[in-house]
Amino acid sequence: MDACTAIVGINWGDEGKGRMVDLLTENFDIVVRYQGGGNAGHTIVNQYGEFMLHLLPSGVFRKNVVNVLGNGVALDPEHLLEEIQILQAKGVEVTPDNVKISNRASLLLPWHRKMDALEESRLKEKQFGSTKKGIAPFYSDKYQKKTVLAGELFYPEVLHHHLNDLREWKNLVLTGVYDEKPVTEEEIDAWLDKYCKPLMPYIQDTSEFLMEELHCHKQILFEGQLGALRDLDFGIYPYTTSSNVLASYAPIGSGMPGVEIDRIIGVVKSYSSCVGTGPFVCEMFGAEADRLRQIGGEFGHRTHRVGPIDLVATRYGVQIQAATEIALTKLDVLSKMDEIPLCVRYRLDGVETDKMPFPSVLDKCEPVIEKMPGWQSDISGIRTWWDLPKEAQDYVKRIEDAIGVVIKWISVGPERHSIIRRG
Ligand code: GDP
């Protein structure tokens, strides 16, 4: 078996990566989160119940799996502590033995969330649809070298001065630009006591840990957040997230620079969904969209926009993720449709293309739709490829032909074992 595998999203996020990690972790020793923060979540249904994981790696439910939050993560202590406590209350073991936080992960500070909300409200109708979890202000501060590392918690004097300097600087913006109250030293001290100190036992040099484990031939799984089209550098900028979600970034964000990833499992959803604003060429509207949203359970804090599978965007996502194999999720959601639409190309200025256009012209693109016959039967109990209706097989093969990478798994329900392994 290969030592390093990544599971990453190919579309706009919410593809069902969490369920794939939860399923496949039985074969891995370590699961690592390498980017992002509490702004997106994986939903996992297993014997403990249904969980939304935002920060904790999805291997946390498996005994004997060590879960690492790498240096690339936006480490929000308040959010992480709450998540740990929710899991512990439901009987899931979360200890410094099975959850480790990189001492080089930067801390999302109390003002980051505030800055996020203030900027979104300043933008009014031009809002980006931020989750207001402070992720964009966090990453911009990180790259300005204006946040603190988790490991600094072990050096209280250095930390005290560092945080005071940052607080003074941030208060200039809060009071001067946004006319807000300044953050006080007492507020920061209370935040340190309440949320950061309890996390200290989990913090260590995870790079060293991971490299040692790799040399001991342990199997490592990198778990990506969001999807390729939200990648900061290669996504639909500026409607991207503020970090690199691509598998190529996993070794860096995990603290293992230069380590090669052997397998990249790209997760593709059988239809499209997109949360937040920005171009979404294949978007469907009206009753058809409402029906798909309903069956697909596409609800959350923010509206889930839906559409048919977008083969242009999916092929691009597969390419930039450099996926070596695909997991196609939520095929069961399409079961009741007479005909299944697919967005096969875009039309831009009257010319059809199957190449992903530059982000600035996406709003001008129209989807070219083809339809395939549906199967109109419940496939959620099916566990082998050969038992799938022919129409469902044809649909899967049509996607596979378009993206040029083998579809190895097909999920037909949210539960861990509602899966068809192919080949
Ligand atoms: P992630 O962020 O990529 O992990 O995706 P989410 O967790 O946001 O979204 C996936 C949603 O689809 C969750 O509610 C899952 O329980 C659900 N889900 C995953 N796979 C399937 C499937 O094959 N069929 C159905 N019906 N639901 C699924």
Side-chain angles (χ1 to χ4, degrees):
M1 192 169 155
D2 305 306
C4 290
T5 300
I7 295 193
V8 289
I10 297 294
N11 308 124
W12 296 263
D14 297 331
E15 296 94 346
K17 296 174 291 297
R19 62 111 56 231
M20 288 310 298
V21 178
D22 183 58
L23 173 76
L24 297 175
T25 38
E26 64 183 330
N27 304 317
F28 288 87
D29 304 297
I30 301 168
V31 180
V32 194
R33 275 283 310 272
Y34 57 89
Q35 48 73 229
N39 50 331
H42 298 310
T43 313
I44 294 174
V45 186
N46 59 26
Q47 77 269 29
Y48 296 102
E50 180 172 336
F51 297 90
M52 269 304 274
L53 294 184
H54 296 279
L55 274 161
L56 283 168
S58 307
V60 72
F61 299 103
R62 297 270 190 190
K63 292 212 177 343
N64 306 323
V65 170
V66 177
N67 298 274
V68 174
L69 287 149
N71 50 281
V73 164
L75 193 79
D76 180 344
E78 185 175 340
H79 196 147
L80 179 59
L81 195 63
E82 188 190 13
E83 211 164 287
I84 291 176
Q85 286 165 351
I86 290 173
L87 262 66
Q88 285 173 334
K90 292 224 180 162
V92 182
E93 202 175 305
V94 184
T95 70
D97 288 332
N98 73 339
V99 172
K100 299 181 189 295
I101 301 170
S102 166
N103 58 358
R104 284 185 172 270
S106 300
L107 297 187
L108 189 137
L109 299 168
W111 48 75
H112 286 137
R113 237 177 280 166
K114 201 169 188 173
M115 295 293 299
D116 208 348
L118 287 168
E119 182 55 12
E120 279 287 279
S121 68
R122 187 191 70 82
L123 285 168
K124 295 203 176 77
E125 69 282 358
K126 290 186 184 161
Q127 288 190 7
F128 276 99
S130 162
T131 52
K132 303 196 183 91
K133 296 285 194 295
I135 304 301
F138 162 83
Y139 277 110
S140 40
D141 281 1
K142 171 173 170 169
Y143 286 96
Q144 283 194 80
K145 301 164 289 173
K146 297 250 189 226
T147 178
V148 299
L149 302 179
E152 288 183 57
L153 294 170
F154 295 95
Y155 305 94
E157 274 192 29
V158 180
L159 178 69
H160 178 78
H161 291 298
H162 195 179
L163 274 172
N164 260 341
D165 289 346
L166 294 177
R167 193 174 53 78
E168 270 174 30
W169 167 74
K170 193 54 80 176
N171 279 342
L172 294 176
V173 185
L174 282 171
T175 58
V177 178
Y178 293 107
D179 205 15
E180 283 287 306
K181 278 196 311 205
V183 178
T184 64
E185 191 170 341
E186 291 70 36
E187 284 174 88
I188 294 300
D189 287 345
W191 171 80
L192 283 170
D193 279 344
K194 192 164 176 195
Y195 303 114
C196 299
K197 286 203 177 135
L199 291 178
M200 286 172 71
Y202 296 88
I203 299 170
Q204 67 173 76
D205 183 344
T206 50
S207 286
E208 192 181 13
F209 166 76
L210 287 170
M211 292 312 284
E212 278 172 12
E213 296 294 292
L214 190 64
H215 287 133
C216 295
H217 307 289
K218 294 287 173 64
Q219 307 291 323
I220 302 176
L221 183 65
F222 301 104
E223 176 180 21
Q225 183 213 32
L226 291 164
L229 297 158
R230 299 292 188 196
D231 182 77
L232 179 61
D233 286 85
F234 296 96
I236 50 171
Y237 191 86
Y239 298 96
T240 60
T241 192
S242 305
S243 64
N244 290 105
V245 307
L246 298 187
S248 343
Y249 183 75
I252 297 176
S254 304
M256 309 171 79
V259 164
E260 273 185 33
I261 306 179
D262 309 282
R263 286 166 75 200
I264 300 174
I265 303 172
V267 185
V268 172
K269 188 140 86 175
S270 300
Y271 57 93
S272 300
S273 74
C274 164
V275 179
T277 45
F280 184 43
V281 177
C282 66
E283 184 162 14
M284 279 182 344
F285 300 93
E288 205 184 358
D290 287 343
R291 193 154 165 252
L292 186 54
R293 231 186 316 269
Q294 188 70 40
I295 305 172
E298 297 292 344
F299 298 102
H301 296 304
R302 298 178 303 158
T303 314
H304 286 216
R305 300 156 73 192
V306 292
I309 190 159
D310 180 334
L311 296 180
V312 179
T314 301
R315 187 186 305 107
Y316 176 71
V318 166
Q319 278 165 5
I320 59 176
Q321 286 288 17
T324 56
E325 55 199 85
I326 298 296
L328 183 71
T329 57
K330 301 188 89 164
L331 190 63
D332 55 302
V333 169
L334 305 182
S335 290
K336 289 206 172 121
M337 290 177 145
D338 307 339
E339 285 188 310
I340 307 198
L342 301 91
C343 168
V344 292
R345 287 179 297 282
Y346 292 170
R347 192 176 299 109
L348 174 62
D349 297 329
V351 179
E352 290 190 10
T353 177
D354 59 4
K355 298 224 161 35
M356 188 69 179
F358 190 72
S360 315
V361 298
L362 280 172
D363 268 334
K364 283 173 59 189
C365 292
E366 292 162 27
V368 177
I369 302 289
E370 273 177 23
K371 291 196 169 168
M372 291 183 72
W375 46 92
Q376 293 170 294
S377 61
D378 181 8
I379 58 168
S380 60
I382 291 178
R383 297 290 175 267
T384 67
W385 168 251
W386 301 113
D387 289 332
L388 270 181
K390 180 170 179 310
E391 293 80 0
Q393 290 183 356
D394 289 346
Y395 182 68
V396 174
K397 285 197 272 189
R398 174 77 178 82
I399 298 169
E400 198 172 56
D401 282 350
I403 61 179
V405 177
V406 62
I407 295 176
K408 275 207 177 166
W409 290 273
I410 299 159
S411 82
V412 289
E415 306 79 18
R416 190 179 273 179
H417 294 292
S418 300
I419 196 94
I420 296 169
R421 290 167 209 257
R422 202 166 154 241

